[in-house]
Amino acid sequence: PIAKMTIPRGRPSATLLTSGDVLIADGEKQDNESLATAESFHASTLTFQPTGAMHHARISHTSTLLTDGRVLVAGGYADTVASGAELYDPRSGTFTETGSMGSARCKHTAGLLPDGRVLVAGGSDSRGWDRNLNTTEIYDPRTGKFTAASPMNDQRFKLPDEAVPLTSGRLLIAGGSKEAEIFDPEDGKFVAAAGQMDEQWHYMSETKLRDGSVLLAGGYPNSDQATAQTWTYRP
């Protein structure tokens, strides 16, 4: 054990910053008590320190490190599912609101594209299981705006927080469906990856390995029975 966080948090996001510190944002203190606070973990001292407050409480949001060192926090929910987004600047330790998505979404995924933009994909709106999304949007940090992008082939939610960038620059999106999909930023379209998993695994993890393949692990299907199974995606 090391130092404790400044407050208890369930389901926060944790984003490794370019400095080596970690931004820990939002989450919930207990059921129905969402947080709108953030803190930094300082790797050099193994301590936590409060940083600027967020404008909105969020759970099941995404948090993406941009190429300029800022962090894009998008979507999630508290009292309602959010379409808004915020930018965290580690130099000033503050959050500022930025453009809103075309669709309110939570339990979605996001991934950094080679040109510095961010793809946001899938998730659900306030209807949860009854309204999984196949829509996607791209955030451009130069304009601070989201624009609609090509839809995925499948509706999916409860996705990994981060869509893994492959060595080719494409993004792998897995979870919430038996199929995985690949987003190609060259033509802006999705293609289904070869092969299928045996279930629509929700909240599985997605981790790029050193050889360029991706480890897909765990999750649970519609029956809510967790699995110990793992899969490997090889580009």
Side-chain angles (χ1 to χ4, degrees):
I2 57 173
K4 292 182 179 180
M5 293 187 292
T6 59
I7 58 173
R9 297 177 187 274
R11 295 189 293 170
S13 60
T15 308
L16 181 64
L17 303 175
T18 54
S19 64
D21 292 344
V22 179
L23 173 68
I24 300 173
D26 279 347
E28 60 183 351
K29 194 169 184 178
Q30 57 189 22
D31 286 346
N32 301 318
E33 186 180 346
S34 303
L35 300 171
T37 61
E39 53 191 288
S40 294
F41 171 71
H42 300 294
S44 59
T45 60
L46 302 181
T47 58
F48 294 86
Q49 180 181 8
T51 188
M54 302 189 68
H55 294 266
H56 302 281
R58 302 174 191 271
I59 306 169
S60 295
H61 54 283
T62 53
S63 181
T64 308
L65 180 68
L66 304 178
T67 54
D68 63 7
R70 294 180 298 168
V71 177
L72 174 69
V73 178
Y77 71 92
D79 296 331
T80 60
V81 179
S83 61
E86 306 184 36
L87 287 171
Y88 175 73
D89 188 339
R91 293 168 296 184
S92 62
T94 58
F95 287 88
T96 57
E97 293 187 283
T98 186
S100 291
M101 295 182 289
S103 298
R105 65 182 78 223
C106 64
K107 304 173 185 177
H108 53 288
T109 192
L112 186 68
L113 299 173
D115 62 3
R117 297 179 300 161
V118 177
L119 176 75
V120 179
S124 63
D125 63 17
S126 58
R127 288 167 283 186
W129 287 93
D130 296 324
R131 188 65 172 93
N132 296 348
L133 304 174
N134 70 339
T135 58
T136 72
E137 311 184 35
I138 292 179
Y139 175 77
D140 190 336
R142 293 167 297 185
T143 63
K145 295 181 179 180
F146 289 87
T147 56
S150 297
M152 295 185 291
N153 295 299
D154 207 353
Q155 298 172 327
R156 56 180 82 218
F157 82 141
K158 295 188 175 181
L159 302 177
D161 293 339
E162 181 181 4
V164 168
L166 303 174
T167 304
S168 63
R170 298 180 297 170
L171 290 179
L172 175 67
I173 296 179
S177 171
K178 292 183 179 181
E179 289 188 342
E181 301 190 41
I182 309 298
F183 177 75
D184 188 343
E186 293 294 327
D187 61 14
K189 296 181 180 179
F190 290 86
V191 295
Q196 283 190 344
M197 293 175 283
D198 58 340
E199 291 283 357
Q200 299 178 3
W201 297 109
H202 304 293
Y203 286 139
M204 67 190 317
S205 64
E206 187 176 338
T207 308
K208 185 178 179 181
L209 305 179
R210 290 183 178 178
D211 66 358
S213 61
V214 180
L215 175 68
L216 307 174
Y220 60 85
N222 293 347
S223 64
D224 286 353
Q225 181 63 49
T227 184
Q229 292 187 69
T230 65
W231 300 262
T232 302
Y233 171 75
R234 292 184 174 88

